[in-house]
């Protein structure tokens, strides 16, 4: 059996096509996919700040990114802050970050389905986002997602270009799944399927063919 291609083709490039714009219809579909994610007791704790390249919100999100992320994220078509509402009228929202994670995964896989790419970032100043957008006390920013179409990795700085082209790897499945007692492997090493092949998008951008690339 093979992985679903949407899962296998998902990767986290830094090379975005700076000429591509995403219209509101595409952005609505992406966020609608996120809205339909499961959450604890249907509490739906995920909230978003959305900026398109060139508008004020994009610029303010971009300004909160770490210096390393600012070297490439400005070419993305959109930047989205994913945040969680940590409490509501019933009290603390359980498993709020888990709910946001499920929602963002929905968004990212919908992007792959549409032929787009996404890169999720933890490297940003959360306090700056909180202050810049006047977030309420119960709302906490967690992640920034860059969205757009795949660009030319040759336009990246040399160190990032190398990271863009390195193979995509994961820990072996037998080191992750246990049975009976902790550490007792469920799967044998020789039963593990091979890693996903490189994506078509990576090939079109001049990828070296060793894998989709990127750390996540």
């Amino acid at each position: 059996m093979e992985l679903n291609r949407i899962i296998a083709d998902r990767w986290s490039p830094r090379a975005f096509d700076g000429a591509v714009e995403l219209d509101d219809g595409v952005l609505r579909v992406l966020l609608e996919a996120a809205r339909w994610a499961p959450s604890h007791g249907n509490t739906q704790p995920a909230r978003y700040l959305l900026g398109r390249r060139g508008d004020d919100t994009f610029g303010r999100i971009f300004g909160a990114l770490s210096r390393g992320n600012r070297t490439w994220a400005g070419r993305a078509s959109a930047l989205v802050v994913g945040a969680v509402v940590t409490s509501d009228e019933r009290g603390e929202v359980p498993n709020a970050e888990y709910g946001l994670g499920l929602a963002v995964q929905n968004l990212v896989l919908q992007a792959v389905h549409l032929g787009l790419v996404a890169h999720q970032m933890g490297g940003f100043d959360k306090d700056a986002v909180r202050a810049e957008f006047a977030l309420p006390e119960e709302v906490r920013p967690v992640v920034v997602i860059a969205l757009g179409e795949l660009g030319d990795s040759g336009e990246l700085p040399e160190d990032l270009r190398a990271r863009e082209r390195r193979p995509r790897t994961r820990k072996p499945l037998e080191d992750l799944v246990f049975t009976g007692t902790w550490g007792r492997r469920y799967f044998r090493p020789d039963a593990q399927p091979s890693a996903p092949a490189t994506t078509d998008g990576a090939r079109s951008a001049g990828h070296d063919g060793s894998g989709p690339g990127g750390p996540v």
Side-chain angles (χ1 to χ4, degrees):
M1 291 187 292
E2 295 183 358
L3 288 176
N4 186 294
R5 291 310 309 174
I6 292 177
I7 297 172
D9 288 349
R10 187 217 61 80
W11 63 301
S12 300
R14 295 171 181 82
F16 284 83
D17 188 334
V20 172
E21 297 184 2
L22 300 183
D23 62 33
D24 284 346
V26 170
L27 294 171
R28 176 178 287 275
V29 169
L30 294 174
L31 273 301
E32 187 70 4
R35 186 172 75 93
W36 280 100
S39 59
H40 188 119
N42 199 28
T43 47
Q44 301 177 58
R47 298 291 186 275
Y48 311 94
L49 290 163
L50 170 61
R52 294 173 59 187
R53 188 180 60 249
D55 71 18
D56 177 69
T57 299
F58 184 102
R60 291 155 69 193
I61 297 172
F62 180 81
L65 297 179
S66 66
R67 182 171 60 180
N69 286 332
R70 288 199 304 269
T71 63
W72 58 266
R75 295 178 64 82
S77 300
L79 292 175
V80 180
V81 175
V84 291
V85 176
T86 59
S87 62
D88 59 19
E89 64 279 0
R90 294 171 290 182
E92 182 180 350
V93 175
N95 299 314
E97 281 199 20
Y98 184 72
L100 175 65
L102 292 170
V104 170
Q105 181 76 334
N106 269 19
L107 186 158
V108 168
L109 293 180
Q110 181 68 35
V112 175
H113 176 67
L114 297 176
L116 304 173
V117 292
H119 190 114
Q120 301 161 67
M121 295 171 272
F124 69 102
D125 188 331
K126 296 175 176 61
D127 289 334
V129 168
R130 179 180 296 279
E132 186 68 33
F133 294 98
L135 300 188
E137 183 177 349
E138 71 275 10
V139 176
R140 179 160 48 86
V142 176
V143 65
V144 176
I145 309 111
L147 297 166
E149 290 189 11
L150 190 64
D152 182 2
S153 63
E155 297 180 355
L156 292 170
E158 183 176 355
D159 60 329
L160 294 183
R161 191 160 61 243
R163 295 176 67 180
E164 197 86 344
R165 296 173 175 175
R166 70 188 180 190
R168 178 182 178 184
T169 61
R170 288 295 186 274
K171 294 178 180 179
L173 193 61
E174 62 268 21
D175 290 348
L176 306 177
V177 184
F178 309 129
T179 188
T181 187
W182 189 264
R184 180 182 175 190
R185 292 174 171 177
Y186 185 89
F187 294 107
R188 298 191 310 273
D190 60 359
Q192 182 173 315
S194 60
T198 184
T199 65
D200 291 339
R203 290 192 187 100
S204 68
H207 195 279
D208 64 4
S210 58
V216 293

